[in-house]
Amino acid sequence: MASRRPPEQQDSDGRTPRPAPPGPARPRSGRLRRTLIAGLVAASVAVPLSGAARPEAVPAPAPAALAPLSLAGLDARYAANRGTILDAERMAEDHGNLRRARALEAMAASDRHFLSFDGRDGGRTAEVFGDLAHAERIAVLVPGSDTSLDRYGRLRDGAGALADQLGPRAAVIAWMGYEAPATISPEVLTSGRAAVGASQLASFVETLRSAAPVARISLLCHSYGSVVCARAASGAEVSDIVLYGSPGTGFDTAAALHTGATVWAGRGGDDWVADVPHVRVELPVCTVGFGTDPVSRHFGAHLFDAGPGGHSDYLRPGSVPLRNLARIVNGRTSQQAREARHA
């Protein structure tokens, strides 16, 4: 697969890092493509019925009534959401779900800060890492499948690692603002969940932009989260949209996103998503698959070195992709790309 070489970048010691060696060649057989298409046909029947087997919801209170988001009112907002989290913890414990109760107990710690919290139906949250009130750069992490209150640890750990990498005057928001599909489910093959999530994401970015009008905001979109970001792109005023570990976006090209943001794409050398055939099939009740590979030349995104890691390694401390994602959020890589393009 042809790709463009990402712009050279330097580490803090002034050295230019060498690109990661290519991983082992991956098979691209017609059998894999036929297998997926067979699965898509089966999904045309399964998708309408998938809502019938939802697990029992854990009771939780309605979200706290909050004033419009403002940087001056962050402490009050954090305190109000902490109270809601504690109420949700008690309800989960009374319901007998001790796993959820313990997770909520950890979320209610005094050193954790939530812009929003809704414990109902799997959970919707936006947690802040860093000093949002004084941030000049803000990264919004948009996660992929299998993200919920019960499986929140990986998103939280990644957000913390990115905040540490970014340094001062930056903040990271772990945005779990939509109902993510399960990795093994018909929904993960369609953009239905992404369509709803995109509306919520665009609204969140608009609110954040109003509260921090001069901050540089970037969307970092992992896996199925890249489908959400792509659909939100035209309505989100951000500097960068970064697609990593993406199965596709539902759009043929980066230009089709109709965004003024710089669109980036990267994939780790051992990421299994490379084996997902990039097709989009019209079925009787829905469209299945997400089309063009975002790291392909045809899609037209700016590429960044995502290292040799796997699907869950992009925000691993010390990793190549974490360093490059931080460069993008900080604006260094984007400036280099613009200069190269102008030249």
Side-chain angles (χ1 to χ4, degrees), residues 311-335:
H311 194 64
S312 301
D313 294 336
Y314 294 93
L315 299 177
R316 182 168 49 82
S319 67
V320 170
L322 180 66
R323 290 198 301 270
N324 284 332
L325 288 169
R327 288 179 174 125
I328 292 171
V329 173
N330 282 330
R332 300 177 199 163
T333 307
S334 294
Q335 181 63 34

Side-chain angles (χ1 to χ4, degrees), residues 182-334:
T183 298
I184 308 300
S185 71
E187 290 88 355
V188 81
L189 299 174
T190 74
S191 61
R193 297 280 178 90
V196 177
S199 175
Q200 296 163 334
L201 178 60
S203 177
F204 176 77
V205 170
E206 182 180 8
T207 299
L208 186 61
R209 173 61 66 198
S210 296
V214 299
R216 175 188 177 86
I217 301 175
S218 300
L219 295 180
L220 273 57
C221 318
H222 179 236
S223 194
Y224 189 86
S226 64
V227 187
V228 178
C229 287
R231 294 184 70 100
S234 62
E237 185 184 346
V238 297
S239 298
D240 298 281
I241 297 174
V242 190
L243 315 171
Y244 55 102
S246 174
T249 63
F251 293 87
D252 290 332
T253 64
L257 302 185
H258 297 296
T259 176
T262 302
V263 180
W264 296 88
R267 185 167 62 221
D270 198 34
D271 190 337
W272 57 260
V273 84
D275 292 329
V276 175
H278 292 90
V279 298
R280 191 161 63 244
V281 179
E282 298 283 345
L283 297 174
V285 296
C286 61
T287 300
V288 184
F290 303 112
T292 308
D293 187 347
V295 301
S296 69
R297 182 185 298 274
H298 176 74
F299 190 75
H302 297 280
L303 303 184
F304 70 94
D305 184 359
H311 194 64
S312 301
D313 294 336
Y314 294 93
L315 299 177
R316 182 168 49 82
S319 67
V320 170
L322 180 66
R323 290 198 301 270
N324 284 332
L325 288 169
R327 288 179 174 125
I328 292 171
V329 173
N330 282 330
R332 300 177 199 163
T333 307
S334 294

Side-chain angles (χ1 to χ4, degrees), residues 110-167:
S110 60
D111 62 345
R112 297 185 66 174
H113 305 114
F114 286 85
L115 289 177
S116 61
F117 177 84
D118 184 349
R120 300 171 298 181
D121 194 26
R124 308 285 189 277
T125 69
E127 184 174 7
V128 176
F129 298 78
D131 184 2
L132 182 60
H134 300 98
E136 297 172 356
R137 290 103 53 212
I138 303 171
V140 179
L141 294 184
V142 182
S145 59
D146 284 333
T147 307
S148 66
L149 288 179
D150 295 325
R151 298 184 175 184
Y152 181 68
R154 187 168 64 196
L155 176 60
R156 179 180 185 270
D157 291 346
L162 179 60
D164 291 343
Q165 185 74 39
L166 288 171

